[in-house]
């Protein structure tokens, strides 16, 4: 017996020759069509040519005879079901041809519709549809599509003929062309195809079909398809299947229709059948926008005058309801379905898992558990962690009118509406007056933090997704649009231009940090609602996950937000952010500008009580949870004044000359500050700074403990390259800590550990772990040093690299598992070899990114730490990681 | 029987109780004294208390009775040999007490001399020596030393009393005090000790001795000693031995003497006995400088009036000759010996391997092979690779008069004499006139290279041992003094100040790059002589070593020097150095300043023939040897003009406005250029640059091949982080290479490989090796990224780090084997796992540093590459590595 190469599907009340398990030979689409058939769902009949045929095609460079026999036989069966004939001039059956590999694969041939049309059969279509214009429109579309996809004609050249015809007739839309126009166009197009390809468009329906089938097989090996496979590790041997399916039409009269529906509301998740349809219409009519679709059921009627399908075609509607319930039960998820009714017969064209908003995803998942349809674990795995970011910030009201004047990078999600200010100082002044403000800057620096803190949102002209503005804003859970390149700011005149628009200080603008849009005026927003379902889902996630989730927070306010979002501690509290406050920066500058240790100590004494107060407040908020505080990290020159005015101000306050301040600043200048005198290098060369900080931390801890707060301080030494650095600083920290506790007559558990943020630290993690009581991987800097890539400078080539897939992903967004991951694994292994129960976490930006969180799970981390507003995302992603890696 | 704790040594014609093998229990010094005794050499008798006693001391916190018994017995034996009595008032025996662990260990007690002196025995010493002043000087020294070392008195307070006495007597030198003065001083000092310590200085000789012994044991656990042990991995359990030895005096009349000698000339290595002595004198008399030492033998007499020991004390001289020959034969190396003759009796106080100049080291090693004393392998291992650097450059004549006006860092060895110029341009102008010039700059940049190239030497005010000036000068084998911090240059006035001196353009100065000294005027120099012995030794080294030695050279001239020094290929030819030549930089700037690819291609077409010419010349010099050429590496902004004048010049030449040039320069500015848009990132984003370079290389190779030159080009892609970068650029390189060869009708073997200079490249070396045909570890950048440490900025803390031993060594000088070494090993292992015969080399500065070369040997490298003038050093170091790791 000949090998089976063709598998039938579709019809009514029959079984298909394949099923959902047979994706290897039927491809994804073919297997799914067979599956629907087997569920008893009416699917336009057709057949799938197996992937094996694709392999044979490439081996033999042709289509074997046995295929031809099997295809012809399959066609006869389809003709019988449809009661039409392929090539029949009276009642012509038309086919669509589609590719369909095991995995969805852009780059291959998509679809050719209406195969079977020619100058003779088109008359049959006219007769069947009673619509000459429709029939000829199908025909001219067929010619354009077929000649392009199968024959390789230049589609622009054909489109030009269409344009010419419209121009000639003085119309703007395709739909304004009459049947006669289209008839003429068909003739012109056929001529053109001949001219372009040197060949006639085949008129014989079987020739058309073989051409289509061969084109699908050929499309498997186009350069685009090959590239896509390479990038996505899809084996070349898989091959593609070909799906040949009967065309059905929803425009064959009033008992015909076409529609789309969701089995639940995709916006809210509500368990209602939701959709739209059009009577006597094709799908394209909806797209063309000439007719308004009607609601599918009475429940969906916004207007009493609308005629729902439930009312107009009640039998078919009832059948559709039954089908959608079958499909949802079968696929155990909300489905997005397409259907056509041809002369009273309902045909299902497609079902697939429906896209949904984050809110809907959460509600559907939780509801389906209640309905007994899925397990809690499945519910958790159904909600994409990245997606729930939407739920955690106010959003631009999707229904609001918007005047979008430009676009930047979606640096920190959410929406913001407020009056424009151009400086952090003005932001504070206006905010103190109760105004909502948007801080607009060319770029931000650490000195702008107090302004960012009071602003609703931040807009910058420069800087990428990991610029200062973006990182800080995300940390604050604040909307930010960064790198808005067309934005031109004139600080002096306090005005800005963006594209054709302009705005000045005090004008209202609105930002959409989720899309990067900048809008003029006050656009309405909607508040996030962390619904009961959300809380339920997060509780399930917490039970599943193995990783702890902490937060990166520098203030009591951020700590509170994070704790409310479920943070189980602080993984990174940056002490330097506290240094920039207006009432402190002067003392900090005095410290830096001192000529000797004594001068520095004097200034540090002024700073200590402030730091102590901050820490104590944070300990109180985090009562019972661990708080990791990193000692001073950035190079000192970051704190010095930049503008002449600032220099003059500082000089005056410190009783020095501006020239002195400038000379000192210049002497601190570095060629590569990222690799310069910072982190523990400061602690080693200016021990008094770290000493003050440890004292402030421990005094704060003892102070809080006296009030009954349960404190768990963890002192973190940054930028350690060599164990000797850590050993020296740990000895100092322990000495100071013991001294403070003795003086306070309080005994606290505290840890001293380090950030692993330099390759050398990971490579010598065993030595370092002999000193460190915990590790926190600082993957921001570790990415920079491992790649030799400055985050600040990468803008010139990194987008190009990511775009061209030279780097598979932006390594600052997701942990580079091949390279950096290797280093992290070495660090974990060596670290635990020296200290078996070493606590290991991550506190880089990656700590809130799902694929990185999964990596941390697999690498055996104890926790991840991320910005407060990403804590729920991390909790969910950690649960996903646990599920995915469950054995 | 009681445990043996005391081991006798010394005397004449006896055997010691220990020998050289017993360092574990006798310590190094004790074992050596025993060994000399066993060789039949007269050593002042004494005894060693074993290291075991040290352990017992710390366990029991005291000295056991059995020790006391054994010590007393040993004293009796020494008394018998010396015919003196310890504590005898007529003929007092005096002792020295010294510590002596298995390894030499600063931080422990050194020596207390003259134990046994008190108010009674001092009279015996007067009688024996016939010199009252001497006896009382011994006594007051004993009091000062003993009270300081054993009793912990403040030595400054005692020294003060000496000063008071000198002041009172109106004298300047100790030696001007009379016997009476010293007698009084002794009384004063004893009072003072009582006052300072609350205790009398013990007058009983046995109490003195026990005090001394205990002090040695205690010194094992001083903080300094503990720290030293920790840093040098010396186990605490070793403990120290104590050496108690009879004092002998060379000032007991005309048949007494003292002297030092070398068994061969330590300056030249000539096989002559060489030394100095003083009759009726103690070693201190030589130090005090009141008497001129006399030559030890007739051969050494510079002046006929001198009286050599050979003439004055012929018997003792003959005995000494016999001893030195014995010692040299025994230790099989040149010895540095000390002796004292007391009343006609020759005593050897010390023998140790003598320090020598590089020239002497080479000559002695080669001579000793000829003499059959050592093997060739031993000869090679006897010469320190670092030391021979001296032999490869002209040197300041050690006999010349010098006016040293300041000191900088010894950045590149050798000597330079010439007229001062303050700019590279002036250097070229003056050099063209035949003048020898010294280029004096605040610091140098790549644009100064043409000036450095023609200068005799370079002096800079800023920059460390790895600054641009230092690195380039070492590469050129040119003398350089960098970081001369006191140097103040006024470019406008063309003058400079250094300390109290000043010089202007055209003045002569001299530099000593080996010491960092800057001298006014023309100081005489001596040329290096690569003597026959040197050549012989290098040939032996070449036979031993397994590592290849290549050079880093960018010009035909450097290539020639390196080849003459034995380089076996070029490991790194930097194409960008060629870009800075005055006649090219404009085309380079035109390329960078172009707005589009077309503009760049136009400019590149101008550069190509120049590059091609350079490469062809290098291929010719390196006929038959491989030449690795690295494609463009530095960020483009390095090539742009800096000063307003330069900007104006470039603007004029390129017909652009200065503002345009400045804007372009500013747009290329980077926060961390080291981690910026450079290396292969340029090749990826501006493919036309690398394409031009590959074309120039291959056209040059084909051109040279046509002339009969055997070319082996190796194209090296820098700064690869991800295999995709290399894959894309290799594909381009191969395409261009094949095209050029096809056009030239020549088929060449060529390789395409990469530098491993980013941690990620090492971590993913398996993936990269699938593309790369060779690896060259760029350990300069790899050190920077692995440590997160900018070479340019490290000056603020790295010296402190190295000084405080936070980093055991400067990682830019010697490969950090614990951290970086780990990464390199990963790179080698993974690289060879993917490509078994992968050729691996190193081209960082470390490639010429002996400990790094040894690491490369152990890590399985194929070759090291270093600057031309370090090639012989690398050859020798590679031989050392092979010997050291021979199994």
């Amino acid at each position: 017996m000949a090998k089976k190469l063709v598998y039938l599907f579709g019809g009514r009340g029959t079984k298909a020759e394949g099923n959902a398990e047979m994706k290897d030979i039927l491809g994804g689409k073919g297997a799914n069509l067979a599956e629907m058939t087997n569920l008893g769902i009416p699917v336009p009949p057709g057949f799938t040519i197996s992937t094996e045929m694709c392999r044979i095609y490439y081996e033999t460079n042709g289509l074997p005879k046995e295929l031809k026999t099997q295809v012809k036989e399959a066609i006869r069966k389809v003709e019988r079901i449809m009661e039409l004939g392929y090539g029949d001039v009276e009642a012509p059956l038309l086919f669509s041809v589609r590719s369909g590999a095991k995995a969805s694969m852009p780059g291959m041939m998509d679809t050719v519709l209406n195969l079977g049309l020619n100058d003779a059969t088109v008359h049959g279509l006219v007769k069947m549809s009673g619509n000459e214009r429709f029939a000829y429109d199908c025909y001219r579309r067929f010619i354009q599509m077929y000649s392009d996809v199968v024959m390789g004609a230049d589609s622009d050249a054909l489109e030009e003929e269409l344009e010419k015809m419209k121009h000639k007739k003085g119309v703007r839309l395709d739909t304004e062309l009459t049947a006669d126009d289209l008839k003429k166009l068909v003739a012109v197009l056929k001529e053109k195809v001949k001219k372009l390809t040197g060949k006639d468009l085949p008129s014989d329906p079987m020739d058309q079909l073989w051409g289509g089938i061969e084109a699908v097989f050929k499309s498997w090996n186009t350069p685009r398809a090959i590239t896509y496979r390479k990038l996505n590790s899809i084996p070349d041997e898989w091959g593609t299947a070909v799906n040949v399916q009967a065309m059905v039409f929803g425009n064959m009269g009033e008992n015909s229709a076409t529609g789309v529906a969701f089995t639940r509301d995709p916006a809210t998740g509500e368990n209602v059948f939701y959709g739209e349809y059009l009577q006597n219409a094709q799908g394209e009519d909806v797209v063309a926008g000439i007719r308004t679709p009607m609601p599918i059921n009475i429940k969906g009627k916004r207007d009493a005058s609308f005629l729902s399908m439930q009312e107009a075609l009640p039998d078919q509607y009832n059948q559709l309801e039954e089908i959608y319930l079958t499909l949802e039960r079968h696929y155990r998820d909300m489905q997005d379905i397409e259907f056509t009714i041809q002369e009273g017969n309902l045909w299902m064209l497609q079902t697939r898992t429906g896209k949904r908003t984050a809110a809907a995803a959460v509600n559907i998942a939780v509801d389906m558990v209640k309905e007994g349809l899925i397990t809690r674990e499945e519910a958790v795995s159904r909600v994409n962690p990245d997606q729930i970011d939407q739920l955690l910030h106010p959003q631009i009201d999707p229904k609001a009118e918007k005047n979008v004047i430009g676009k930047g990078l979606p640096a920190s999600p959410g929406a913001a509406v407020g009056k424009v200010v151009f400086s952090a100082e003005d932001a504070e002044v206006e905010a103190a007056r109760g105004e909502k403000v948007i801080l607009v800057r060319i770029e931000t620096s650490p000195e702008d933090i107090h302004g960012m803190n009071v602003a609703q949102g931040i807009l910058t002209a420069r800087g990428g997704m990991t610029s200062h503005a973006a990182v800080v804003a995300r940390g604050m859970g604040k909307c930010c649009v960064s790198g808005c390149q067309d934005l031109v700011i004139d600080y002096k005149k306090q005005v800005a231009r963006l594209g054709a628009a302009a705005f000045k200080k005090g004008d209202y603008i609105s930002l959409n940090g989720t899309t990067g849009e900048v809008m003029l005026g006050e656009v309405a927003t909607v508040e996030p609602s962390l619904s009961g379902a959300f809380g339920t889902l997060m509780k399930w996630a917490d039970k599943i996950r193995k990783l702890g989730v902490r937060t990166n927070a520098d203030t009591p306010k951020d700590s509170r937000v994070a704790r409310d979002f479920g943070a189980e501690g602080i993984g990174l509290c940056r002490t330097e952010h506290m240094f920039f406050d207006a009432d402190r920066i002067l003392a900090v500058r005095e410290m830096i500008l001192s000529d000797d240790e004594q001068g520095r100590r004097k200034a540090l004494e002024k700073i200590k009580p402030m730091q102590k107060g901050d820490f104590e407040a944070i300990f109180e908020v985090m009562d019972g949870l661990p708080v990791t505080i990193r000692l001073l990290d950035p190079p000192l020159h970051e704190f010095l004044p930049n503008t002449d005015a600032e220099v003059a101000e500082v000089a005056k306050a410190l009783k020095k000359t501006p020239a002195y301040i400038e000379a000192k600043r210049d002497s601190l200048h570095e060629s590569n500050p990222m690799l310069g005198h910072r982190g523990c290098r400061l602690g080693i060369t200016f021990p008094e700074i770290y000493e003050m900080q440890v004292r402030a931390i421990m005094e704060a801890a003892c102070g809080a403990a006296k009030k009954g707060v349960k404190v768990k301080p963890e002192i973190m030494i940054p930028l350690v390259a060599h164990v000797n650095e850590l050993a020296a600083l740990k000895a100092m920290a322990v000495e100071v800590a013991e001294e403070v506790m003795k003086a306070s007559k309080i005994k606290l558990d505290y840890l001293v550990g380090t950030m692993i943020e330099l390759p050398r630290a990971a490579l010598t993690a065993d030595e370092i772990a002999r000193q460190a009581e915990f590790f926190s991987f600082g993957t921001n800097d570790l990415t920079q040093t491992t790649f030799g890539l400055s985050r600040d400078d990468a803008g010139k080539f990194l987008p190009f690299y990511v775009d061209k897939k030279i780097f598979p992903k932006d390594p600052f967004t997701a942990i580079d598992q091949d390279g950096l991951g290797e280093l992290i694994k070495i660090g974990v292994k060596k670290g635990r070899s020296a200290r078996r129960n070493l606590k290991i976490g991550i506190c880089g930006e990656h700590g809130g990114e799902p694929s990185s969180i999964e990596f941390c799970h697999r690498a055996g981390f104890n926790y991840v730490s991320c910005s407060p507003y990403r804590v729920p995302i991390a909790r969910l992603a950690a649960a996903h990681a646990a599920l995915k890696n469950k054995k």
Side-chain angles (χ1 to χ4, degrees), chain A residues 412 470-478 552-553 558 574 845 867-869:
Chain A
S412 181
V471 171
V472 171
R474 281 200 296 274
M476 293 176 169
K478 197 158 288 219
N552 300 346
D558 284 353
R574 282 159 290 210
E845 285 275 303
S867 54
Y869 287 84

Side-chain angles (χ1 to χ4, degrees), chain A residues 250-257 279-280 291 307 312-313 341 343-344:
Chain A
N251 58 346
M252 298 250 179
E254 289 306 306
N255 64 341
S256 295
Q279 262 179 298
N280 194 17
R291 288 170 57 191
L307 181 67
L313 297 159
I341 300 164
E343 297 177 314

Side-chain angles (χ1 to χ4, degrees), chain A residues 261-540:
Chain A
F262 292 86
T263 61
R264 305 196 181 203
D265 186 328
T268 65
E270 199 190 343
N271 190 359
V272 292
F273 188 44
Y274 175 97
E276 292 177 326
Y277 89 113
L278 268 174
Q279 262 179 298
N280 194 17
Q282 273 204 298
E284 284 153 17
D285 297 331
V286 185
V287 181
I290 22 174
R291 288 170 57 191
T292 309
M294 291 288 128
I296 204 161
N297 47 21
I298 298 165
K299 218 172 189 173
K301 283 169 75 166
R302 272 171 292 145
D303 188 315
S305 71
F306 287 174
L307 181 67
S308 73
M309 177 171 158
Q310 196 173 13
E311 296 156 302
L313 297 159
D315 289 351
Q316 288 82 358
Y317 177 77
N318 290 339
Q319 193 189 351
L320 188 61
E321 272 213 343
E322 210 170 285
I323 287 170
Y324 101 71
L325 288 170
T326 304
L327 285 171
E328 210 187 65
R329 270 195 304 271
H330 182 70
Y331 288 105
R332 301 162 66 244
D333 202 351
M334 186 265 268
Q335 297 293 300
D336 167 359
I337 59 180
E338 287 178 27
F339 62 90
T340 285
I341 300 164
Q342 179 173 324
E343 297 177 314
N345 291 321
L346 174 67
W347 298 106
M348 297 304 299
L349 302 183
Q350 177 156 286
T351 186
R352 58 185 170 191
T353 298
K355 291 212 182 341
R356 61 204 82 180
T357 64
V362 171
N363 286 326
I364 291 172
V366 172
D367 282 350
M368 284 191 171
V369 171
K370 287 185 193 149
E371 294 162 23
L373 215 53
I374 59 174
T375 65
R376 289 179 175 188
E377 295 196 344
E378 281 173 305
V380 166
S381 68
R382 289 275 174 88
V383 180
N384 180 345
D386 270 329
Q387 203 183 11
I388 64 166
D389 204 10
Q390 290 176 20
L391 300 180
L392 308 173
H393 306 274
Q395 297 298 318
I396 291 289
D397 186 344
K399 295 178 215 95
E401 267 187 42
K402 299 177 286 184
N403 176 9
V404 176
I405 57 171
K407 210 168 165 186
L409 298 171
S412 181
V417 179
K419 288 183 173 178
V420 167
V421 291
F422 292 106
S423 74
E425 290 66 33
D426 285 349
E428 279 197 313
V429 170
E430 297 297 320
R433 285 199 197 125
E435 296 285 358
K436 296 192 163 185
V437 298
I438 305 274
L439 179 60
V440 179
R441 302 282 301 164
I442 296 173
E443 56 195 334
T444 65
S445 77
E447 291 186 53
D448 296 322
I449 285 183
H450 59 112
M452 296 171 77
N453 199 33
V454 297
Q456 302 299 308
I458 297 107
L459 170 63
T460 70
R462 287 199 211 136
M465 294 293 289
T466 54
S467 63
H468 177 265
V471 171
V472 171
R474 281 200 296 274
M476 293 176 169
K478 197 158 288 219
C479 168
C480 174
V481 173
S482 70
C484 183
Q485 303 216 350
D486 296 336
L487 180 66
V488 181
I489 303 175
D490 186 332
Y491 285 135
K492 263 191 210 145
K493 296 192 183 149
Q494 295 275 295
V495 296
R497 272 186 299 107
L498 178 52
F503 50 84
K504 60 179 192 300
K505 189 186 163 190
D507 287 351
Y508 271 103
I509 62 170
S510 303
L511 305 179
N512 186 341
T514 313
T515 62
E517 283 172 332
V518 182
M519 291 148 282
L520 224 47
E522 290 179 271
V523 180
T525 61
V526 289
E527 278 303 302
S529 70
L530 303 183
S531 68
F534 181 83
T536 305
L537 191 84
M538 291 310 292
K539 251 182 241 150
W540 295 343

Side-chain angles (χ1 to χ4, degrees), chain A residues 109-112 144-153 211-212 215-216 219:
Chain A
M109 192 188 98
D110 188 16
T111 304
V112 183
Q144 283 188 264
M145 233 167 165
Y146 192 93
S147 64
D148 170 22
V149 175
V150 179
M151 302 172 73
V216 171
S219 75

Side-chain angles (χ1 to χ4, degrees), chain A residues 385 545 549-550 847-848 853 864 866 870-879:
Chain A
R545 70 185 159 91
V549 175
R550 296 196 188 183
I853 292 171
V864 297
C866 58
R870 289 195 78 84
V871 166
I873 298 165
R875 288 161 68 197
L876 188 54

